[in-house]
Amino acid sequence: MKGPYTHTGTMSRFILKRDRLRILIWIFALATFTWLVAISFANLYATDVERQGMAETMKNPAMTAMVGKGYGLANYTIGAMMAHQMLLFTAIAAAVMNILLVARHLRADEESGTMELLLALPLGRLTNMAATMIICVCVNGLSALVIGCGLYALRIESLDLEGSLLYGAALGAVGIFFAAVTALFAQLSDHVRGTIGLSFAFLGVSYVLRAAGDLGDEALTAGSPLGLAAITKVYVQNEWWPLLILTASAVFFMILAFYLHQKRDLGAGLLPHKKGRMHASQFLQGPVGLLARLQRTALMSWAVGLCLLGASYGSVLGDIESFFGKNEMIAQMMQATNGASLTMTFVTKILSVLAMVSTVPVILAVLKIKGEEKKGRLDHLLGRPVSRTRLLGSATLLACIIALTMMSLTAIGLGGVGTAMMEKEISLRTFYEAGMVYLPAMLVMMGVTVLLIGFAPKLTGLTWIYLLYSFVVVYLGGLLQFPDWMAKLTPFGYVTKVPVEEMDWVTTIGLLLTAVGCTAIGFIGYRNRDIH
């Protein structure tokens, strides 16, 4: 007779084998980005005068709401700067990693029917959840050690051993906490979209609660898991007690998730499922509407998040001159060739980052076709009078609409708040035009995704690596002194920086033709290959 945790070790090894590449990429990305930022801070702010100038600028309430309350501002060392400006955003990335990992193995496997097959084997009812939690704890522990030891190994002044280990431990504790919270939401929702949606909503509330606490009542900061990570005061006072609260809370949510898992039926959720309509609307009677409906919650979340992200950057545009002007290295790096203002040069740099972030939902919209194919659901569509070309075309059309919408909302959010914060007003139209020039590059990324779906669907993960590469070479290329040809390997390296530079229509049309060419070739491959 099998117990509730039978063969947990075997299941843990199975999960690790399935996700070993994903886990390695996440850990490598988090660690590498953290180390590169630490090195860049040490190079950019080499003197006490430069660091204290930055500290004065970071006292701006808008910056406090964005990156958190600063500790050690009176003696703004590289360590204090790292903890202040990077810990929060790296913790958010760690939370996202755990949300996706847990949702994949708890709710997605139930939704696809994989868990029903596994439970037919001599596995306990709680084996999968226990194995998933074990893997999450190990992954976060390994990530904490790699990041912490790596920071100390850089031998940068003020990055001491205790502070470096605490930095990594804070990231690991946040990751474990959100793994436990996602496991709880997996018991409440009956599908993976709901699980991820609730988890990301909780992450967003945590960020807002932390921001409100940093600007007012500090008790609100302590009520947020992100706030608890920040008040560890890494590299300043090195407080470990907030991590004890985070860990205890994670254990509580894990126990509650295990308890609720025993109470529900396989494939069901504890929250009541909303009844659907008796008849489908006209919008749902075509593949475009169906694909949009399947991604409705995620798309709405991306739209709101990107608009708010743009607005958060717009809130600091009024202080950019004082923010960067005191640092000669940054001023030289940001200076445009035609003598444009530092503020507008910064706007073009931020828009490049926001464009790459806005590309994520575009790629996800196209990859939805691959996901439905993997789950065997495309047979129901292709068995009807819906051709492969129409199906893939619908996903491509939806991705184009998403690209336009997301980039528009991002530019409007940035410009709408930015124009109100700057003394020398720049029109909202200028912001919008500066954002729209990145649309062809986003469509090239979409075309590459379609190309891989058509010819090599198993290699579509390379799209994310390519997007990450684009971010590193375009945003950090000047800082890390990469050669120019590296930026030319990504479509974002060809975008004209309007209004700092004159619009280059030849390059823009070339990007559009590249996007059309990759998409067309992808259509040919998709029409001719086998559908698994």
Side-chain angles (χ1 to χ4, degrees):
M1 182 177 179
K2 62 182 181 181
Y5 300 100
T6 301
H7 292 303
T8 298
T10 303
M11 191 64 186
S12 300
R13 292 192 295 273
F14 177 61
I15 292 175
L16 185 61
K17 184 176 181 179
R18 287 179 62 189
D19 276 0
R20 61 186 182 277
L21 183 59
R22 286 185 177 90
I23 291 171
L24 289 175
I25 291 174
W26 269 107
I27 294 178
F28 176 80
L30 288 174
T32 303
F33 182 71
T34 302
W35 300 336
L36 289 177
V37 170
I39 294 172
S40 65
F41 279 170
N43 294 330
L44 290 172
Y45 306 99
T47 66
D48 292 336
V49 175
E50 292 174 338
R51 290 194 291 268
Q52 289 309 124
M54 175 61 73
E56 291 299 319
T57 306
M58 296 302 292
K59 293 178 181 178
N60 186 315
M63 294 304 301
T64 300
M66 186 186 303
V67 304
K69 185 177 180 180
Y71 299 99
L73 294 178
N75 182 24
Y76 208 46
T77 63
I78 297 298
M81 187 181 297
M82 273 292 298
H84 183 199
Q85 300 185 30
M86 290 307 304
L87 180 59
L88 176 63
F89 292 113
T90 314
I92 292 175
V96 171
M97 174 186 70
N98 284 273
I99 290 172
L100 298 178
L101 179 63
V102 174
R104 167 179 165 82
H105 289 287
L106 294 189
R107 179 49 64 180
D109 281 351
E110 285 192 36
E111 187 175 333
S112 64
T114 302
M115 190 49 54
E116 187 174 359
L117 294 175
L118 290 174
L119 289 177
L121 301 172
L123 294 178
R125 179 173 176 80
L126 299 178
T127 295
N128 183 55
M129 179 177 285
T132 301
M133 292 297 101
I134 290 172
I135 292 299
C136 285
V137 171
C138 293
V139 168
N140 285 282
L142 178 61
S143 176
L145 284 174
V146 170
I147 292 175
C149 294
L151 285 173
Y152 179 67
L154 295 177
R155 297 300 181 183
I156 297 175
E157 185 181 0
S158 76
L159 297 188
D160 60 299
L161 179 59
E162 182 183 3
S164 299
L165 293 178
L166 179 56
Y167 191 103
L171 298 179
V174 170
I176 293 173
F177 178 87
F178 277 94
V181 168
T182 306
L184 176 61
F185 287 142
Q187 314 313 312
L188 302 181
S189 177
D190 60 351
H191 52 80
V192 68
R193 296 195 310 275
T195 301
I196 294 176
L198 289 172
S199 300
F200 277 115
F202 185 85
L203 178 59
V205 170
S206 301
Y207 183 86
V208 173
L209 189 65
R210 189 274 320 155
D214 288 340
L215 293 175
D217 188 0
E218 293 186 357
L220 295 177
T221 302
S224 166
L226 298 177
L228 284 172
I231 62 178
T232 52
K233 303 177 183 178
V234 181
Y235 293 121
V236 180
Q237 297 180 13
N238 291 333
E239 303 281 357
W240 288 85
W241 63 265
L243 300 190
L244 297 179
I245 298 177
L246 264 180
T247 305
S249 301
V251 171
F252 170 77
F253 284 121
M254 281 186 190
I255 294 174
L256 183 59
F258 276 99
Y259 174 77
L260 294 178
H261 188 72
Q262 291 181 312
K263 298 296 182 181
R264 68 174 179 86
D265 294 331
L266 183 67
L270 296 177
L271 292 177
H273 192 74
K274 184 176 69 172
K275 294 183 178 180
R277 297 180 179 181
M278 292 293 294
H279 303 282
S281 64
Q282 187 67 30
F283 182 69
L284 278 177
Q285 295 181 13
V288 176
L290 176 60
L291 291 172
R293 177 64 179 83
L294 291 174
Q295 304 172 78
R296 179 181 62 180
T297 303
L299 293 177
M300 291 177 62
S301 301
W302 273 105
V304 173
L306 287 170
C307 188
L308 292 177
L309 183 60
S312 65
Y313 280 110
S315 66
V316 302
L317 291 183
D319 296 324
I320 290 300
E321 298 291 339
S322 60
F323 192 79
F324 288 140
K326 297 179 181 179
N327 190 297
E328 294 183 2
M329 182 179 292
I330 292 184
Q332 291 175 0
M333 185 181 68
M334 299 292 294
Q335 187 64 39
T337 55
N338 60 356
S341 67
L342 196 60
T343 300
M344 283 311 303
T345 308
F346 176 77
V347 167
T348 59
K349 180 69 71 173
I350 288 302
L351 279 172
S352 67
V353 176
L354 295 176
M356 284 181 272
V357 176
S358 300
T359 306
V360 174
V362 177
I363 295 175
L364 289 174
V366 181
L367 289 179
K368 187 66 176 177
I369 289 292
K370 179 202 171 185
E372 296 299 306
E373 176 185 350
K374 189 176 181 180
K375 296 175 182 177
R377 295 172 179 168
L378 289 188
D379 294 342
H380 300 288
L381 289 175
L382 297 177
R384 299 175 181 274
V386 177
S387 65
R388 297 188 186 188
T389 302
R390 183 185 176 190
L391 181 61
L392 186 57
S394 299
T396 304
L397 175 61
L398 180 62
C400 293
I401 295 173
I402 293 172
L404 177 62
T405 303
M406 297 301 174
M407 199 63 232
S408 297
L409 290 174
T410 302
I412 291 173
L414 177 66
V417 177
T419 53
M421 301 300 295
M422 292 185 295
E423 295 180 0
K424 185 178 179 181
E425 184 175 343
I426 301 174
S427 66
L428 182 60
R429 178 179 178 179
T430 301
F431 281 95
Y432 190 77
E433 291 175 349
M436 286 301 102
V437 296
Y438 287 93
L439 191 58
M442 298 170 64
L443 296 181
V444 171
M445 296 298 298
M446 179 203 71
V448 171
T449 308
V450 174
L451 179 65
L452 291 175
I453 289 178
F455 285 94
K458 292 183 179 181
L459 300 179
T460 51
L462 295 176
T463 307
W464 301 116
I465 299 177
Y466 190 34
L467 184 61
L468 178 62
Y469 171 83
S470 302
F471 173 82
V472 173
V473 298
V474 173
Y475 183 58
L476 300 176
L479 186 64
L480 301 176
Q481 299 181 346
F482 289 152
D484 293 338
W485 63 265
M486 292 186 66
K488 297 303 181 182
L489 296 179
T490 168
F492 293 98
Y494 291 91
V495 176
T496 307
K497 298 177 177 61
V498 176
V500 173
E501 301 173 352
E502 291 293 332
M503 183 65 182
D504 186 352
W505 287 105
V506 175
T507 303
T508 302
I509 294 174
L511 287 174
L512 289 173
L513 292 177
T514 302
V516 172
C518 290
T519 303
I521 296 174
F523 269 76
I524 295 173
Y526 189 72
R527 187 178 59 188
N528 295 328
R529 74 171 175 85
D530 293 334
I531 299 295
H532 298 288

